[in-house]
Amino acid sequence: MAWSSSSSSGTAPQEKHDVFLSFRGEDTRYTFTGHLHASLTRLDVNTYIDYNLQRGEEISSSLLKAIEDAKLSVIVFSKNYGNSKWCLDELVKILECRRMRGQIVLPVFYDIDPSHVRNQTGTYAEAFEKHERNLQGQMHKVQKWREALKEAANFSGWDCSVTRMESEVIDKIANDVLEKLNRVYVGDLDQQIAKLEKLAELQYLFYTKIITVENLEKHNATVQRLTELKMERSVRMLRLSPDMLSHLNDSKRNSNYFDF
């Protein structure tokens, strides 16, 4: 479970989060990404956004940890995303978490053709000419960035160049993020519930054909388990923080309703 989060330039400890936003600040911090963050917040989606305007040469360990802790990363590709070594390092880390941790990756293409990201053309070609000049002794790193851009640009995502209201696109992206997170939290329960509902139907049909106490008890046991799983599903969908769920620890000893 997780609770609300956004980062700041201070040193205060960060709260838990579900979503990490990767973006080029000068392009979208106060426009598209800022509005997306607000939309996610309204949906009670706990999101990490880096407000630190002063960045060093290397990505910070706290930011790497923030990426690792997320269940889903939204990558907002914009015209100058490829100029930032910091953003490219974030991207490499996000894809590592996808492979190692099963993190969901959702690319968003804002004011940029996806093919420019995929093939490093246009402003991305200019960015990589600069990287290759400045990092002549680290061409393996530049190549890793190229591969990461190509991989991420091939994922299913959102192309904001399609003619429609930006606010409408942002709301659709935010709801898409919420739906994907919900599947993370309750996808396993949904599978169990579907199977047990089918089992309960078969058991009841069998009971109507052969009416015995044993057959009725089997059906009732399945219905009870279904009730427990649906209750657990409802609690998970709230995405409550551990401290908010702490009161359940004692009740779990006396009830089977919550099984986390």
Side-chain angles (χ1 to χ4, degrees), residues 1-3 235-242 244-245:
M1 301 297 171
W3 55 102
V235 172
R236 285 195 194 179
M237 288 288 285
L238 294 174
R239 300 197 300 278
L240 301 175
S241 63
M244 295 178 72
L245 287 168

Side-chain angles (χ1 to χ4, degrees), residues 192-224:
Q192 294 181 57
I193 288 170
K195 290 179 179 179
L196 286 176
E197 285 178 337
K198 186 63 177 177
L199 176 61
E201 291 178 8
L202 293 173
Q203 287 175 326
Y204 183 75
L205 180 61
F206 188 65
Y207 168 70
T208 60
K209 302 296 184 182
I210 305 177
I211 302 176
T212 67
V213 173
E214 181 182 3
N215 287 342
L216 180 60
E217 288 177 343
K218 288 180 179 179
H219 173 261
N220 288 342
T222 301
V223 171
Q224 179 180 347

